[in-house]
């Protein structure tokens, strides 16, 4: 089974909570705070593996969660970090944010890694809040949540040369003849139900990867047949070998077939129309092919045309060597992930944004940073509450409330915790 697209949910581990603890040893008077920090949560990391060929594993399991960090303990003991989770995907896998479609990573090299969901940060223990004024802090910081998101994994095979053309024109036979690949071959449409890859050896140290791209028929770019599933794999190739049945069997017109396939490539992506093509006239061992070859050559004078017979092997040696020569002439096309766009989308500062608003005589202060602050505050402890107020002043929340018209005694809600405004 070939699966080349999968949607998964990834959730990194939560950071461990900081500890509130004090030294209690018999001969250590006024031992002071001794609460350790929590451990960081585990991250989820995607790793490119050239040994994999499909995304099938992700079809049956779609939810992945990394390990949480341990809570801190007394005696200044830190909680251990959660273990990272590594998910192996085939080389050539694009990682996209499911909601926006932004490409987050392009895993094109074996062993390449991408941190798909970053683990939460461990909270600080109360020992970290001790200072010259606050000698016995009775509060600690909770761990932050790990990142969670839906991502789309999309596999685009990495091949140097792609075989395109209508079904049953001999693409699989050509692939089997010039490589060691063993595709399924028979005389009926859609024998090939998944892309097949093979390595073409030209000589010692000289080779390239050839892919048989199946399923291209008229209307493929709109979902007809198997085309829409596999057109994406053409995007990775540098050179296309456009295979035409020169014999015109099944009452087909070879010239018309060529234009129909190119129209489908154009409809799918303008980028595909810019790829270099060599026209491969197959089945030249049949008498009908000899009758059509001159007509085809007159129509396509701007293209290089190579005549072959996949059945007899005629012309295949020249074809594979010529394709290699053309590859050397084509400049490497490098696709860059828009790192600026990704940075903006997942900017960590956005998660620290504080929103202060007014609803009639009611004032609200909200944001993920304030949620963490509220969770770490012991409102029954004077020092902890004083620290809470100081942070609100330092972050400009009090000033924003004044600007919105907050007065002494007005009701203020900070992430669900209500106070009277004191100016």
């Amino acid at each position: 089974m070939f699966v080349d697209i999968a949607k998964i949910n990834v959730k990194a581990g939560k950071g461990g909570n900081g500890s509130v603890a004090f030294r209690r040893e018999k001969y250590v008077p006024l031992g002071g705070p001794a609460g350790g920090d929590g451990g960081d949560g585990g991250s989820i990391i995607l790793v490119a593996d050239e040994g994999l060929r499909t995304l099938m594993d992700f079809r049956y399991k779609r939810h992945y969660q990394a390990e949480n960090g341990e809570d801190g303990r007394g005696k200044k003991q830190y909680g251990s970090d959660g273990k990272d989770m590594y998910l192996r995907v085939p080389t050539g896998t694009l990682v996209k944010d499911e909601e926006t479609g932004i490409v987050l990573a392009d895993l094109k090299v074996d062993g390449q890694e991408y941190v798909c969901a970053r683990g939460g940060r461990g909270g600080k223990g109360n020992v970290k809040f001790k200072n010259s004024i606050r000698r016995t802090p009775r509060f600690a910081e909770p761990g932050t949540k790990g990142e969670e998101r839906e991502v789309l994994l999309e596999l685009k095979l990495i091949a140097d040369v792609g075989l395109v053309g209508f079904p049953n024109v001999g693409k699989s036979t050509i692939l089997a003849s010039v490589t060691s690949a063993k595709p399924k071959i028979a005389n009926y449409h859609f024998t090939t139900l998944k892309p097949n890859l093979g390595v073409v050896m030209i000589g010692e140290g000289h080779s390239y990867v050839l892919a048989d791209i199946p399923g291209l028929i008229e209307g493929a770019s709109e979902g007809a047949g198997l085309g829409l599933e596999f057109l994406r794999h053409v995007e990775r190739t540098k050179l296309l070998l456009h295979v035409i049945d020169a014999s015109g069997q099944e009452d087909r017109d070879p010239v018309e077939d060529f234009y129909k396939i190119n129209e489908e490539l154009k409809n799918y992506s303008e980028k595909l129309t810019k790829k270099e093509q060599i026209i491969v006239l197959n089945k030249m061992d049949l008498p009908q092919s000899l009758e059509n070859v001159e007509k085809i050559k007159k129509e396509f004078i701007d293209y290089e045309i190579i005549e072959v017979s996949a059945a007899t092997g005629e012309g295949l040696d020249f074809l594979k060597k010529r394709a290699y020569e053309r590859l050397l002439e084509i400049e490497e096309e490098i696709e860059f992930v828009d790192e600026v766009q990704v940075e903006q989308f997942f900017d960590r500062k956005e998660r620290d944004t504080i929103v202060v608003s007014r609803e009639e005589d009611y004032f609200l202060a909200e944001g993920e940073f304030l949620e963490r602050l509220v969770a770490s505050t012991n409102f029954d402890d004077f020092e902890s509450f004083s620290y809470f107020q100081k942070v609100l002043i330092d972050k400009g929340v009090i000033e924003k409330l004044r600007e919105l018209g907050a007065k002494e005694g007005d009701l203020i809600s900070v992430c669900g915790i209500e106070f009277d405004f004191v100016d």
Side-chain angles (χ1 to χ4, degrees):
M1 183 181 296
F2 184 80
V3 179
D4 63 354
I5 193 165
K7 182 171 74 171
I8 62 173
N9 174 272
V10 290
K11 184 177 182 181
K14 175 186 176 296
N17 297 322
S19 170
V20 177
F22 297 89
R23 295 187 66 180
R24 304 291 185 187
E25 288 92 336
K26 183 175 181 180
Y27 298 106
V28 184
L30 304 176
D37 296 352
D40 293 336
S43 298
I44 294 183
I45 302 171
L46 300 179
V47 186
D49 185 344
E50 63 182 7
L52 298 178
R53 286 289 179 265
T54 78
L55 294 167
M56 188 167 61
D57 290 347
F58 300 100
R59 179 172 182 174
Y60 302 107
K61 183 179 179 183
R62 301 197 173 183
H63 296 271
Y64 297 87
Q65 181 167 357
E67 198 174 77
N68 293 332
E70 280 189 344
D71 293 343
R73 296 181 293 277
K75 298 183 180 180
K76 300 182 182 179
Q77 295 180 64
Y78 283 38
S80 61
D81 295 339
K83 291 182 180 178
D84 294 332
M85 177 180 284
Y86 290 87
L87 304 179
R88 310 195 80 78
V89 298
T91 53
T93 299
L94 280 179
V95 185
K96 296 181 177 180
D97 178 71
E98 200 276 333
E99 183 179 352
T100 65
I102 292 175
V103 176
L104 307 176
D106 188 357
L107 303 177
K108 295 164 63 174
V109 181
D110 185 46
Q112 184 179 349
E113 296 184 356
Y114 171 67
V115 180
C116 191
R118 198 172 298 278
R121 181 173 53 81
K124 297 176 182 178
N126 68 334
V127 71
K128 295 290 179 66
F129 295 95
K130 178 183 176 181
N131 57 34
S132 59
I133 299 174
R134 191 189 307 118
R135 307 302 298 270
T136 56
R138 299 181 183 277
F139 61 95
E141 188 178 53
T144 63
K145 297 177 183 177
E147 293 178 334
E148 180 179 7
R149 64 174 63 107
E150 299 269 347
V151 295
L152 200 65
L153 304 178
E154 184 176 314
L155 175 59
K156 294 185 179 182
L157 292 179
I158 298 178
D160 302 299
V161 181
L163 291 164
V164 298
F166 271 87
N168 208 26
V169 296
K171 301 190 301 295
S172 296
T173 307
I174 292 175
L175 179 71
S177 299
V178 300
T179 74
S180 58
K182 295 179 175 58
K184 186 177 180 182
I185 300 172
N187 188 31
Y188 53 86
H189 292 309
F190 298 122
T191 310
T192 304
L193 298 178
K194 63 180 182 181
N196 290 300
L197 291 176
V199 178
V200 179
M201 302 300 298
I202 302 300
E204 187 174 348
H206 300 281
S207 64
Y208 59 89
V209 179
L210 177 66
D212 171 15
I213 311 295
L216 297 190
I217 62 173
E218 190 172 6
S221 60
E222 298 174 1
L226 304 172
L228 193 59
E229 296 181 36
F230 298 123
L231 271 165
R232 65 173 60 90
H233 298 299
V234 184
E235 292 183 273
R236 296 282 196 190
T237 60
K238 301 177 190 174
L239 173 67
L240 299 180
L241 299 183
H242 195 138
V243 184
I244 296 176
D245 179 358
S247 68
Q249 289 181 323
E250 304 178 7
D251 297 323
R252 303 197 63 88
D253 183 344
V255 173
E256 189 177 323
D257 282 357
F258 177 87
Y259 286 124
K260 284 180 179 178
I261 291 294
N262 276 287
E263 185 65 22
E264 296 308 318
L265 296 177
K266 178 182 177 182
N267 290 341
Y268 180 77
S269 171
E270 284 286 344
K271 175 184 172 183
L272 298 185
T273 63
K274 300 175 183 178
K275 290 191 180 292
E276 293 197 34
Q277 293 188 32
I278 294 177
I279 295 178
V280 180
L281 300 184
N282 191 26
K283 305 186 182 182
M284 290 304 296
D285 54 307
L286 300 179
Q288 305 95 302
S289 299
L290 299 176
E291 299 172 7
N292 293 328
V293 69
E294 290 305 319
K295 169 190 171 185
I296 295 171
K297 287 184 176 179
K298 285 181 181 178
E299 181 69 24
F300 303 120
I301 56 175
D302 294 330
Y303 289 89
E304 180 175 0
I305 298 176
I306 298 177
E307 301 174 27
V308 304
S309 170
T312 66
E314 178 187 353
L316 292 182
D317 282 341
F318 176 75
L319 172 63
K320 67 181 188 179
K321 291 176 183 176
R322 183 63 188 131
Y324 181 68
E325 292 171 355
R326 288 286 293 272
L327 277 176
L328 296 179
E329 298 169 0
I330 299 173
E331 292 186 12
E332 181 76 27
E333 183 178 348
I334 302 175
E335 294 184 21
F336 292 99
V337 174
D338 190 344
E339 295 180 355
V340 174
Q341 189 179 30
V342 174
E343 282 284 327
Q344 290 174 345
F345 184 70
F346 294 114
D347 189 351
R348 290 177 172 272
K349 292 181 180 178
E350 288 187 7
R351 294 198 290 273
D352 288 342
T353 300
I354 296 173
V355 178
V356 181
S357 59
R358 176 175 181 170
E359 296 183 5
E360 297 180 356
D361 294 331
Y362 191 72
F363 296 85
L364 296 171
E366 298 174 306
E368 190 171 323
F369 173 81
L370 291 181
E371 288 179 8
R372 298 199 302 269
L373 178 64
V374 168
S376 65
T377 302
N378 178 0
F379 291 100
D380 294 326
D381 180 77
F382 176 75
E383 287 186 337
S384 180
F385 186 60
S386 297
Y387 178 75
F388 173 80
Q389 292 177 310
K390 181 179 183 301
V391 173
L392 293 184
I393 294 171
D394 292 344
K395 291 292 182 179
V397 175
I398 301 301
E399 185 61 33
K400 290 179 181 177
L401 289 169
R402 289 195 189 101
E403 291 174 1
L404 290 174
K407 304 184 299 296
E408 188 89 19
D410 283 343
L411 190 61
I412 310 296
S413 173
V414 180
C415 297
I417 304 296
E418 296 183 344
F419 308 92
D420 289 332
F421 185 67
V422 178
D423 198 357

